[in-house]
Amino acid sequence: MSPSPLTFEVEQSTTPKADAEREQILANPGFGKTFTDHMVLATWMPDQGWHDGRVTAYGPIQLMPSAAVLHYAQEIFEGLKAYRHEDGSIWSFRPEANAQRMIRSAHRLALPELPEDDFIESIRQLVTVDQAWVPPAGTGETSLYLRPFMFASEAFLGVREAHEVTYSVIASPAGAYFAGGVKPVNLWLATEFARAGDGGTGAAKCGGNYASSLAAQQQGAAHDCQQVVFLDSSTHTYIEELGGMNLFFVYKDGRVVTPALTGSILEGVTRSSILELSKEMGLAPEERRIEIAEWKDGVASGEITEVFACGTAAVVTPVGELRWDGGSTPAPASTETTMAIRERLLDVQYGRVADTHGWMTRLV
Ligand code: COI
């Protein structure tokens, strides 16, 4: 049960960053390095539902060493952004899609549902209090990255769903996800490790999926690759996704192909938006299984002209070489369609074109 709607009491931070320091951070935010003055917290218990919602000073969360999340990784999260438009207003992009995905993730990880309205209200409250942290309009792709997350905070070592759960939202001013900005990233092909398997948690946004990607990510970094491509765990043949992004292939005949959702791939909000936008751009989007051989052969023959990664954090990022133990494909010839899709998406998010899909929600 949940006394709906969840309300959020605001406790102002007594130690907010000075204006000058905040402006210095906003001028060059990078990704995920600095955090705003406040955060959201709420608690769930079986008999009380969601309660004790508040916006409070950003700071450490106290947990017992026995908190279940630290042992059994019962945790899920989301990622979305707040964008400042030219008139100063602040908007988010398809927050209801993130809310619904968090509900699906909660089901998979045996966590309680946070209703869509409470999810959207929680980000609206945080962004309202920390609105000075949303970078000004017209500064490239800067935004305020919002990270809602939920975890098993109950102090209990028995393996069962937690009877005390914490929900939080933190916010971090963000520029380009990759340190080099928007330029092609090289990808490492994981042949030894899979990210997720049939019946596993691949379609849920849970911390464990990201933890399981890190050993391959380390191998990739040793080969000067910024991300890793994971294949399906049963046949090691079909392309799934990167550790934290979906993949698209642009063909010379205008097809824009992405791996079909098989249950072990995360359904990206950016991914599904690109499927719609590319159709409107006269391209032919397609969701299907794609063999790794098709990538290698397609780039070599010129059938595949571009490859790109996408996600909330990465937006749309061109892919360069694919590397693996003992070989590599060259970088695709072009980034033209990739950059056009990227611009189209950013134009919607920053309110530079009409929001014909009803994707934008005003926060402030
Ligand atoms: C996002 O794009 O929001 C993610 O959660 C992925 C992570 C690599 C930052």
Side-chain angles (χ1 to χ4, degrees), residues 37-328:
D37 296 316
H38 297 87
M39 63 183 184
V40 164
L41 284 174
T43 305
W44 178 92
M45 286 173 187
D47 52 342
Q48 293 176 58
W50 287 108
H51 62 282
D52 199 17
R54 63 214 137 99
V55 178
T56 189
Y58 177 84
I61 295 176
Q62 275 208 343
L63 280 182
M64 286 300 183
S66 50
V69 66
L70 300 178
H71 304 271
Y72 310 130
Q74 196 191 4
E75 187 267 358
I76 56 176
F77 70 97
E78 273 303 321
L80 69 168
K81 286 173 169 173
Y83 307 88
R84 193 180 291 280
H85 288 187
E86 204 53 56
D87 65 358
S89 59
I90 300 171
W91 300 71
S92 70
F93 179 71
R94 307 186 72 182
E96 62 290 335
N98 294 91
Q100 288 302 327
R101 188 172 62 187
M102 192 169 219
I103 289 173
R104 294 196 298 276
S105 300
H107 290 164
R108 182 63 187 84
L109 273 287
L111 283 161
E113 273 188 21
L114 180 74
E116 180 180 315
D117 287 351
D118 292 341
F119 177 96
I120 294 177
E121 186 58 15
S122 71
I123 63 166
R124 191 191 299 282
Q125 290 286 336
L126 182 60
V127 172
T128 301
V129 174
D130 277 339
Q131 57 186 276
W133 284 91
V134 182
T139 48
E141 69 164 274
T142 51
S143 60
L144 185 64
Y145 183 79
L146 304 169
R147 172 53 66 86
F149 59 109
M150 189 193 289
F151 59 92
S153 42
E154 183 186 4
F156 179 58
L157 290 186
V159 182
R160 60 145 168 73
E161 79 287 358
H163 293 175
E164 184 197 307
V165 172
T166 299
Y167 170 71
S168 179
V169 190
I170 54 173
S172 174
Y177 181 74
F178 293 104
V182 189
K183 58 177 204 213
V185 292
N186 295 328
L187 303 184
W188 179 251
L189 180 61
T191 48
E192 193 184 334
F193 300 114
R195 171 186 166 274
D198 283 351
T201 57
K205 202 160 176 67
C206 63
N209 291 343
Y210 295 76
S212 78
S213 77
L214 297 178
Q217 180 82 18
Q218 279 181 320
Q219 291 183 338
H223 293 85
D224 196 23
C225 292
Q226 290 89 336
Q227 282 283 305
V228 174
V229 180
F230 289 99
L231 301 177
D232 75 286
S233 65
S234 343
T235 70
H236 308 285
T237 306
Y238 296 101
I239 300 163
E240 297 231 306
E241 60 162 280
L242 310 185
M245 290 151 213
N246 295 117
L247 263 179
F248 274 87
F249 300 86
V250 182
Y251 287 70
K252 75 172 183 217
D253 61 5
R255 279 175 298 144
V256 178
V257 187
T258 193
L261 301 173
T262 51
S264 50
I265 298 177
L266 188 80
E267 184 173 359
V269 177
T270 311
R271 175 189 178 280
S272 67
S273 308
I274 288 172
L275 287 170
E276 293 206 32
L277 290 178
S278 56
K279 211 183 310 164
E280 293 161 17
M281 293 169 73
L283 298 160
E286 221 174 273
E287 293 174 87
R288 63 171 167 84
R289 302 197 95 182
I290 309 167
E291 287 191 26
I292 189 66
E294 185 174 337
W295 182 346
K296 295 177 181 175
D297 297 345
V299 171
S301 69
E303 271 301 294
I304 293 176
T305 51
E306 303 179 39
V307 182
F308 64 85
C310 68
T312 299
V315 193
V316 172
T317 299
V319 167
E321 292 180 23
L322 173 70
R323 298 180 182 168
W324 60 91
D325 224 352
S328 67

